[in-house]
Amino acid sequence: MTELHPYLRELPAVDRLLKEPALGELLERLPRRLVLAAVQETLQGYRQKISAEREGGRFMAGLDLSTAVLAQEAAMLAQNRALPRLRPVINATGIVLHTNLGRAPLARAAAQAVTSIMEGYCNLEMDLEEGVRGSRQAHLERLLCELTGAEAAVVVNNNAAAVFLLLNSCAAGKEVIVSRGQLVEIGGSFRLPEVMAAGGVRLVEVGTTNKTYRRDYEAAITADTAALLKVHTSNYQLVGFTASVDAKEIAGLAHAHNLLAVEDLGSGVLIDTTRFGLPPEPRVQESIAAGMDLVTFSGDKLLGGPQAGIIVGRRELIEKIRRNQLARALRVDKLTVAALEATLRLYLDEEKAVREIPIWRALAASLSRLRERAETLAARLRDYFSEVDLELLEGSSRVGGGALPTAELPTVLISLRVPGKEASELAGRLRGGSPPVIVRLQQERLLFDLRTVGPEQDELLLQALAAALEEE
Ligand SMILES: *Cc1c(COP(=O)(O)O)cnc(C)c1O
């Protein structure tokens, strides 16, 4: 056995550390086990570093292993561990639907609906008029039908679940025909061929990567075919020489052969995106009007609501989907129902939806207003921190979240650099701040895009930035 490193013998015992004022004070307001775990973790960290030094590391020289220093370090760790891990952040990236940052922030009305429902009992599955058992879907179905023109609707956990459930309910054991140009992968784990296989459906690919014609679908139809599936290429675009078959033609062809026409819209949107200078994104009501039997889309992409997967379409097919055993496993909870109902209600008045749903507010923000806010923020930062190198640049914001991948919205960026400081280190400090701020990093500069920062958050952002710049 090798001899114990002298530093290891010097490390104080857990009990002694806990008696230090820094930790004693924390023990009064935090759970003991949390503080204890932080102390043990801190000591363990030192033990590992000290043992590693045997192999030639040099960080130990002049190390202060006093009880007070270690207690201080453990106290900081404990305080950090006492914060919720999931917390609000400021999204200064300019990516409106940032999947890593929770996609769509909810409208105030939706957040209030969630709060009012979650604190007590609610009529989730009770029909208040008849006093009998009702369906949780009833709170959403009428609104969805009114907004999309469909006969019926069912809502599940997310759009991946919606596509899976649809295929499994309507085409299990049969063939479904899809264009080769539409075999999407979204976010690494939703891969259409694999979702189809998991749903018990045989994929029949037709056409080529760039061109698929009506005759390709037609030639692939057999006695085993159940449906023609159209998938929106949400997160990529085919450019150059391309051909695809539109929803109306797919529906016509499917119905002429007694087959189903179904469509995965991905994001799905209820209002015209060209209003905001964006490329057109297919609208749910257009797919229904084109004759699609079933259409699926996400709740938290361009709808701007909670995570959910929405299936709208013909009543008998929706009933069949609801009867699938898996529908229970994929169903939405009451908080989602509350948030989605409130979000959908806003769309009854399109202007209200644009004003009150955060993603539309962000997408509709004018360049002049963004510039004004950026100028104000930059001027105030210059007042406090004369050494900071700040400039305003023209750039573009992105829609993100696997929707409108090529769209670029003109924006104003605050570009910031602190001479002698690494940009990545500053970005790390901002992420570790309270609230955390997420920024873009580009060539040793930090870029802030206020499009995704609510105007009411400007002050908070300034404070978070000031705190990060002041830190030694
Ligand atoms: C985003 C997307 C999905 C997955 O939707 P989630 O709501 O993230 O599960 C499926 N299909 C398409 C075409 C998409 O764009």
Side-chain angles (χ1 to χ4, degrees):
M1 224 188 89
T2 45
E3 184 192 331
L4 213 55
H5 193 293
Y7 274 139
L8 282 182
R9 267 183 272 128
E10 234 181 84
L11 280 177
V14 172
D15 284 348
R16 246 183 74 207
L17 276 177
L18 287 175
K19 289 202 184 94
E20 283 291 312
L23 288 166
E25 186 257 324
L26 282 188
L27 281 171
E28 280 169 26
R29 52 189 182 87
L30 297 181
R32 185 179 173 81
R33 61 190 289 174
L34 190 151
V35 178
L36 193 60
V39 168
Q40 283 164 339
E41 194 176 325
T42 304
L43 286 172
Q44 186 56 22
Y46 274 94
R47 269 186 220 110
Q48 273 166 5
K49 283 184 207 157
I50 294 166
S51 305
E53 200 204 10
R54 241 186 243 288
E55 273 87 67
R58 283 174 28 87
F59 98 103
M60 296 277 87
L63 192 65
D64 184 354
L65 290 178
S66 68
T67 322
V69 166
L70 265 64
Q72 195 54 45
E73 200 169 307
M76 274 168 66
L77 183 62
Q79 269 166 321
N80 209 303
R81 292 284 149 82
L83 291 174
R85 256 195 73 95
L86 181 64
R87 41 183 120 140
V89 306
I90 292 182
N91 172 10
T93 64
I95 301 171
V96 177
L97 292 169
H98 198 306
T99 299
N100 300 153
L101 302 183
R103 283 201 188 153
L106 292 182
R108 176 65 48 84
Q112 281 169 349
V114 172
T115 311
S116 80
I117 291 305
M118 71 186 175
E119 287 180 337
Y121 298 103
C122 65
N123 62 329
L124 182 65
E125 291 191 345
M126 178 176 278
D127 179 332
L128 291 178
E129 272 164 41
E130 307 292 331
V132 296
R133 176 159 190 182
S135 158
R136 65 183 62 209
Q137 300 289 341
H139 307 292
L140 303 167
E141 188 169 31
R142 191 198 309 241
L143 273 167
L144 281 167
C145 292
E146 180 157 344
L147 292 168
T148 64
E151 283 172 20
V154 60
V155 178
V156 292
N157 184 52
N158 57 16
N159 188 39
V163 174
F164 170 81
L165 192 63
L166 179 161
L167 292 168
N168 184 261
S169 309
C170 302
K174 307 265 265 175
E175 293 174 353
V176 171
I177 303 174
V178 189
S179 159
R180 286 205 166 82
Q182 298 175 356
L183 294 174
V184 302
E185 172 181 305
I186 312 274
S189 55
F190 181 91
R191 310 185 85 208
L192 195 71
E194 285 152 39
V195 172
M196 292 178 78
V201 168
R202 284 202 303 283
L203 163 65
V204 177
E205 299 173 30
V206 296
T208 60
T209 304
N210 59 327
K211 292 193 177 194
T212 303
Y213 303 101
R214 178 191 167 97
R215 62 173 184 272
D216 295 322
Y217 287 95
E218 203 155 21
I221 295 172
T222 69
D224 276 343
T225 310
L228 308 187
L229 168 64
K230 183 171 168 61
V231 184
H232 180 50
T233 56
S234 332
N235 60 355
Y236 63 101
Q237 208 169 43
L238 290 179
V239 294
F241 294 93
T242 66
S244 61
V245 186
D246 70 20
K248 193 164 179 186
E249 207 168 351
I250 294 221
L253 180 61
H255 297 155
H257 291 266
N258 262 327
L259 303 173
L260 297 179
V262 297
E263 182 167 17
D264 172 13
L265 278 181
S267 171
V269 64
L270 296 173
I271 60 190
D272 182 1
T273 47
T274 61
R275 272 188 62 177
F276 309 101
L278 293 166
E281 174 79 7
R283 280 184 282 174
V284 184
Q285 54 274 46
E286 287 165 353
S287 293
I288 293 294
M292 283 288 166
D293 297 302
L294 290 169
V295 178
T296 76
F297 56 105
S298 283
D300 55 352
K301 289 186 181 172
L302 287 170
L303 193 70
Q307 178 189 306
I310 301 165
I311 313 176
V312 295
R314 281 181 28 219
R315 166 134 335 258
E316 86 224 53
L317 298 170
I318 296 287
E319 295 295 344
K320 201 165 167 183
I321 290 170
R322 287 189 184 162
R323 284 195 301 272
N324 190 323
Q325 276 303 304
L326 288 164
R328 168 68 183 245
L330 302 174
R331 76 180 182 183
V332 282
D333 76 324
K334 61 187 175 181
L335 304 186
T336 304
V337 174
L340 190 54
E341 183 187 354
T343 305
L344 291 169
R345 270 184 199 287
L346 293 172
Y347 280 98
L348 294 174
D349 175 351
E350 183 168 316
E351 294 320 308
K352 194 168 163 137
V354 172
R355 270 197 317 272
E356 297 188 11
I357 294 178
I359 61 148
W360 292 118
R361 235 184 8 223
L363 292 169
S366 76
L367 195 58
S368 58
R369 182 77 183 105
L370 290 170
R371 184 183 309 280
E372 205 177 293
R373 288 171 54 204
E375 276 167 0
T376 309
L377 197 69
R380 292 188 57 193
L381 274 174
R382 280 198 193 98
D383 283 349
Y384 290 122
F385 303 98
S386 51
E387 76 283 17
V388 173
D389 164 11
L390 266 174
E391 52 184 357
L392 298 190
L393 304 174
E394 306 205 329
S396 45
S397 316
R398 300 233 321 274
V399 176
L404 296 170
T406 58
E408 295 197 352
L409 281 166
T411 195
V412 178
L413 301 168
I414 301 173
S415 163
L416 178 153
R417 196 178 68 90
V418 180
K421 289 238 168 75
E422 294 268 338
S424 58
E425 193 208 318
L426 198 53
R429 269 195 220 163
L430 282 165
R431 276 198 313 278
S434 180
V437 178
I438 316 297
V439 300
R440 279 195 240 169
L441 258 179
Q442 202 175 70
Q443 291 168 348
E444 279 308 302
R445 301 189 71 94
L446 302 188
L447 301 180
F448 298 79
D449 185 346
L450 297 182
R451 185 182 291 283
T452 44
V453 179
E456 72 289 348
Q457 291 182 313
D458 284 358
E459 192 57 39
L460 206 57
L461 173 59
L462 181 71
Q463 283 165 18
L465 248 166
L469 290 171
E470 268 162 11
E471 228 175 274
E472 252 318 299

